[in-house]
Amino acid sequence: MVNFRKYISGITVLAAGFLFAQTTVSSVLYSHNTDNSRVLSLPSPVEIVEKAVLSPKDLVDISVNTMMTDPVLKNATWGFVVYDPKSKKIISSYNESTPLVPASTTKLLTTETALSLLGENYRWMTQLEYSGNIDENGVLNGNIYIVGSGDPSLGTNKAGAASYKDIVADFVSGIKNEGIKKVNGDIVIQTALFKGNISRLPENVVWLENNNYYLPAGTTKEINPANEKLIVKKSMTPGSDKKFFYVSPYADQMVYAEKYEGNGTLTTKIPDAPAFLANSFKANLVKSGVAVTGKVTPKITDSSPEIRKKVSVYQSPTLADIVYYTNQRSDNSLAEALLKVVGFYKMGDQTSESGRIVVNNHLKDIAFDVEGLNYIDGSGLSRSNKVTPIAQVKYLSSLMNTKIYKTYFDSLPIGGQSGTLKRMFLTNGNGQVFAKTGTLNKVKTLAGYLKTNTGKTLVFSLMVNNYSGSVDQVKSRMEKIIGPALDL
């Protein structure tokens, strides 16, 4: 912390000078002969004294000390660290070893694990294939297969992903290029990755934050809507569809539905991606004149697969593109999908539990400080997530020497310029703060890198839990804490 004896004595030495000059300065600035309509923006005497006497580190410490009594933060639990990755030393800190709720800065762990294990050029493939034979009349006596690989961006337009419409158009064109005019068979959806359609919420997830709904996608086929309790029926914007929210008696899970028909199934806003793609594909085949006698049907496993011919392959955006989109927009669904993907990659199944094991093992492998760590989900929606500020900064520092660092760094929002930091650091720190944000009710966090005015790259973590006041007020305090560090 700051050396207050040095601080006070320095002010004493210069105070007399300022008092001596005050009358003269005042007479010049506020002379009756000057134009009173002009307002001069001059630094205060205290600011001049501080900068003349104190080092940048002292100013950072003073900023931290000031915030301890600030009405917004004085009753909060918060921690801060600014760290020099070259010297491997803490420059300034407060509660650096306190486990805190990290909110969406949890995505820093999820996205880095995915990049490290899968590689930045990893893509998901969705293939169109067919079995059987095509006769002289263009009739396919066999099945058409859509073989998925768990692409989390399928049909979403996220990160440059193609729309369902574009993918379907390509698949229809591929079938016609094969000379197929009729299909005597089914359209089979086959993916071994994400077997279950029910998307269960992680432990203790906050489902309503600042008027944004963070809820599961998929279907609730095995949950009985008769037991669900309707708690919200609200139109998000005038003229928009109604949104239905249910509390499930099954493990107190939240269920989000587009409609409720009371027939044993709730249909969610985001349909099962492979099924939606397959049904759209069938409908467009028929519209284009290619009859299909069979139905759309799933087949998860196939012990005796038919011989098939590949017609077309849709490739997702690269993992680097998806990580960029995930961190810039703090996309929860993509983050949770990445958690499941790394689980499948290492353990052969698609569950969030396997994903958590893989992420935790990866963090241990790279010597992450797991003291106080509790990694529950991929997105940071769970309040059961915990991490310490010092663990975050040492982790981010260690990544600077890895092959994925540039891609990872480039994925972070930039203060005053991009992503979730576009409206922070509009003046001081604009273009110098590269960090992941996190927001839950009464939780605001920020962790990443600083490019200082002296050309250094520093690492920082600032996590505030249970603050008073508004989100904008705590953002303002965060800027005041981090601002002086730009002069280090």
Side-chain angles (χ1 to χ4, degrees):
M1 290 299 179
V2 66
N3 186 334
F4 284 103
R5 180 176 296 175
K6 168 187 171 185
Y7 179 47
I8 293 169
S9 63
I11 291 178
T12 302
V13 170
L14 292 184
F18 275 103
L19 289 172
F20 178 79
Q22 190 65 33
T23 303
T24 305
V25 171
S26 298
S27 65
V28 172
L29 293 180
Y30 304 106
S31 168
H32 294 293
N33 297 324
T34 61
D35 183 357
N36 290 330
S37 66
R38 295 176 61 198
V39 178
L40 298 179
S41 178
L42 297 173
S44 70
V46 172
E47 288 176 337
I48 295 173
V49 170
E50 286 181 342
K51 291 195 174 182
V53 175
L54 302 177
S55 69
K57 179 191 181 312
D58 291 334
L59 294 175
V60 173
D61 288 337
I62 289 172
S63 177
V64 171
N65 281 318
T66 301
M67 291 302 158
M68 292 180 193
T69 57
D70 186 277
V72 173
L73 299 183
K74 69 177 182 179
N75 294 320
T77 303
W78 61 283
F80 169 68
V81 180
V82 60
Y83 184 82
D84 187 339
K86 284 193 174 181
S87 66
K88 294 183 170 43
K89 291 182 179 179
I90 294 173
I91 297 173
S92 183
S93 68
Y94 174 70
N95 281 343
E96 70 272 14
S97 298
T98 300
L100 296 164
V101 177
S104 280
T105 60
T106 302
K107 292 182 178 75
L108 291 169
L109 310 183
T110 309
T111 54
E112 181 274 318
T113 300
L115 285 171
S116 293
L117 297 184
L118 302 175
E120 59 187 50
N121 294 317
Y122 181 89
R123 295 177 187 264
W124 289 261
M125 307 294 181
T126 303
Q127 296 186 178
L128 181 68
E129 305 170 351
Y130 71 85
S131 63
N133 300 299
I134 305 170
D135 67 18
E136 64 275 8
N137 297 315
V139 177
L140 170 64
N141 293 299
N143 298 316
I144 293 178
Y145 288 82
I146 294 178
V147 183
S149 61
D151 179 1
S153 67
L154 187 65
T156 63
N157 294 111
K158 294 178 179 180
S163 65
Y164 285 116
K165 180 180 178 180
D166 290 338
I167 298 170
V168 165
D170 179 66
F171 282 4
V172 170
S173 177
I175 290 297
K176 289 193 168 186
N177 289 339
E178 292 292 319
I180 298 172
K181 299 176 182 177
K182 182 180 179 180
V183 178
N184 272 338
D186 294 330
I187 296 178
V188 181
I189 308 165
Q190 188 163 43
T191 173
L193 277 182
F194 302 121
K195 303 181 181 66
N197 285 329
I198 298 176
S199 180
R200 299 188 182 278
L201 289 171
E203 176 189 347
N204 198 17
V205 161
V206 176
W207 60 272
L208 174 60
E209 294 292 351
N210 302 320
N211 299 319
N212 294 314
Y213 294 93
Y214 300 144
L215 297 161
T219 89
T220 55
K221 184 176 179 181
E222 296 177 8
I223 294 179
N224 181 6
N227 296 329
E228 309 297 309
K229 178 184 177 184
L230 179 63
I231 61 168
V232 178
K233 182 178 180 181
K234 180 180 179 181
S235 179
M236 300 293 283
T237 57
S240 68
D241 294 335
K242 299 292 184 186
K243 311 299 180 187
F244 298 86
F245 299 86
Y246 299 82
V247 172
S248 170
Y250 306 90
D252 295 323
Q253 292 181 82
M254 178 63 63
V255 177
Y256 168 36
E258 194 75 7
K259 58 185 178 181
Y260 174 42
E261 299 172 343
N263 62 356
T265 302
L266 296 169
T267 302
T268 60
K269 181 180 179 184
I270 305 175
D272 177 76
F276 188 84
L277 177 62
N279 281 293
S280 298
F281 172 56
K282 180 183 178 182
N284 278 270
L285 276 178
V286 174
K287 285 179 183 178
S288 68
V290 179
V292 180
T293 62
K295 60 185 183 298
V296 173
T297 182
K299 184 183 284 186
I300 301 303
T301 58
D302 198 345
S303 57
S304 302
E306 300 178 289
I307 297 173
R308 307 175 201 165
K309 179 180 179 181
K310 183 163 47 177
V311 176
S312 181
V313 178
Y314 167 69
Q315 297 186 50
S316 75
T318 65
L319 179 58
D321 292 330
I322 287 177
V323 165
Y324 178 87
Y325 188 98
T326 301
N327 284 336
Q328 285 285 320
R329 304 198 180 200
S330 204
D331 190 287
N332 297 306
S333 61
L334 287 179
E336 295 299 340
L338 292 178
L339 177 67
K340 293 180 178 181
V341 168
V342 297
F344 181 83
Y345 177 77
K346 280 288 190 179
M347 301 185 68
D349 70 63
Q350 78 293 347
T351 64
S352 295
E353 182 180 356
S354 289
R356 285 195 293 269
I357 292 171
V358 170
V359 172
N360 277 290
N361 287 342
H362 169 71
L363 294 176
K364 290 175 184 175
D365 289 343
I366 62 172
F368 185 94
D369 182 3
V370 297
E371 186 72 27
L373 175 69
N374 195 32
Y375 178 88
I376 294 295
D377 65 12
S379 60
L381 291 178
S382 175
R383 287 184 179 275
S384 295
N385 288 309
K386 292 290 174 63
V387 72
T388 64
I390 189 63
Q392 278 193 331
V393 296
K394 288 185 177 180
Y395 168 70
L396 291 169
S397 297
S398 70
L399 300 181
M400 296 175 72
N401 298 318
T402 66
K403 63 181 180 181
I404 66 158
Y405 173 65
K406 185 180 186 306
T407 298
Y408 184 74
F409 178 85
D410 290 345
S411 76
L412 300 177
I414 304 172
Q417 298 187 20
S418 69
T420 54
L421 273 184
K422 192 170 185 177
R423 295 183 180 180
M424 284 186 73
F425 303 101
L426 294 176
T427 52
N428 193 25
N430 192 317
Q432 294 176 270
V433 180
F434 306 80
K436 182 72 196 72
T437 59
T439 306
L440 293 173
N441 187 29
K442 299 302 178 184
V443 174
K444 188 65 188 169
T445 60
L446 195 60
Y449 305 90
L450 296 174
K451 298 287 188 180
T452 71
N453 296 325
T454 58
K456 295 179 183 177
T457 298
L458 303 178
V459 188
F460 76 95
S461 169
L462 175 54
M463 293 188 281
V464 182
N465 293 182
N466 303 317
Y467 58 84
S468 302
S470 67
V471 175
D472 286 339
Q473 285 177 319
V474 78
K475 282 182 180 179
S476 172
R477 272 62 176 181
M478 294 176 91
E479 290 177 332
K480 288 179 181 178
I481 291 172
I482 294 169
L486 295 169
D487 288 322
L488 288 167

